[in-house]
Amino acid sequence: MYYDVFISYRRVVGRYLARLLQQALKARGLNCFFDYTSIRHGKFDETIFNAIENSAVFVLVMPDGTFDGCEDPRDWVRQEIEHAIKNHKEIVPVVPTGSVCAFPEDLADSIEPLRHYQISPLDTEQMFEESVDKIVRERISRNVSHGGRLATTPSPAIPILGKTGVISPPSELSWEDSKYYIRALGLYNVFRNRSALREFRRITRQDNPVV
């Protein structure tokens, strides 16, 4: 199967942000491989490597901590990057708001070429949609046959996985409030940004529990 984008991330620090990005790219008509939803059967390693080989663009989600563990040759983030480099993929490192925009000094030799790729910032606050559009326009569209499309409407509401399961915006919220609710929960889950949730409650007077 052909994919426009393969999304690589470290689960412990990047799974929520990777999910937000996958849903935003999907809303723009891009077919993404995201292991959380794309692997249904078969051997994990074969599925991952085949997906990288059959993807036009390799997006690496890079919050702080992404390279923790990459000193181990068996580390999956390292193996994914190595395979993307080996197969001459267009690599797009994406760094979210609040993360250090730098590679560690002790990168393994096999993934050292990663330093030569331009980093794309991802605004995880008010300018999220615009920053995704910029990444699509400047880094992704030229590498896929149909080019994807820029957002004419905001991305659909994205469920966030919390300790108690999937949490969706209350049905009585307006579309604008629903977008804020999703973004606030996303920021909380990724960055433990409690101020985002407090601001959401202040605006909408909702008493949704923190997960």
Side-chain angles (χ1 to χ4, degrees):
M1 183 174 181
Y2 173 83
Y3 299 96
D4 298 316
V5 178
F6 181 100
I7 299 177
S8 178
Y9 64 99
R10 186 168 298 282
R11 284 179 182 267
V12 68
V13 295
R15 63 189 183 276
Y16 296 112
L17 182 57
R19 185 175 178 84
L20 284 170
L21 183 58
Q22 183 258 347
Q23 291 288 342
L25 295 177
K26 181 180 178 181
R28 288 158 173 79
L30 294 165
N31 183 22
C32 300
F33 181 92
F34 179 58
D35 64 354
Y36 188 84
T37 56
S38 299
I39 297 181
R40 301 299 184 188
H41 55 78
K43 295 181 179 179
F44 181 82
D45 54 349
E46 291 180 359
T47 302
I48 291 290
F49 293 145
N50 287 337
I52 293 173
E53 292 166 14
N54 289 292
S55 296
V57 179
F58 180 92
V59 169
L60 176 62
V61 178
M62 279 178 45
D64 293 338
T66 295
F67 295 99
D68 294 350
C70 278
E71 67 278 358
D72 184 350
R74 298 168 298 179
D75 179 75
W76 267 108
V77 172
R78 173 172 169 172
Q79 290 189 61
E80 289 174 0
I81 297 170
E82 289 173 341
H83 205 67
I85 293 172
K86 176 183 176 182
N87 286 273
H88 309 289
K89 294 299 173 181
E90 178 67 23
I91 299 177
V92 181
V94 172
V95 175
T97 303
S99 294
V100 176
C101 187
F103 297 105
E105 294 182 1
D106 57 348
L107 271 181
D109 290 344
S110 60
I111 59 175
E112 180 69 25
L114 198 59
R115 296 187 191 277
H116 302 298
Y117 290 91
Q118 180 182 345
I119 290 175
S120 290
L122 179 65
D123 191 313
T124 53
E125 299 176 357
Q126 284 79 9
M127 301 296 290
F128 177 78
E129 301 291 344
E130 290 81 358
S131 64
V132 173
D133 279 345
K134 182 176 173 62
I135 291 171
V136 171
R137 180 174 59 250
E138 297 182 357
R139 307 296 304 279
I140 295 177
S141 61
R142 63 182 180 179
N143 293 288
V144 299
S145 57
H146 57 87
R149 61 175 182 269
L150 302 184
T152 54
T153 58
S155 301
I158 304 167
I160 302 298
L161 296 177
K163 293 179 181 178
T164 58
V166 175
I167 302 171
S168 299
S171 58
E172 67 272 13
L173 290 184
S174 68
W175 173 243
E176 288 298 318
D177 285 344
S178 294
K179 286 191 299 174
Y180 194 93
Y181 178 83
I182 291 297
R183 190 65 44 72
L185 282 178
L187 286 169
Y188 175 78
N189 280 321
V190 176
F191 304 113
R192 289 295 182 256
N193 189 339
R194 292 177 180 274
S195 63
L197 288 178
R198 286 197 296 269
E199 180 69 4
F200 165 77
R201 292 195 180 102
R202 183 186 70 80
I203 293 173
T204 64
R205 294 182 170 79
Q206 296 292 321
D207 293 317
N208 298 286
V210 175
V211 295

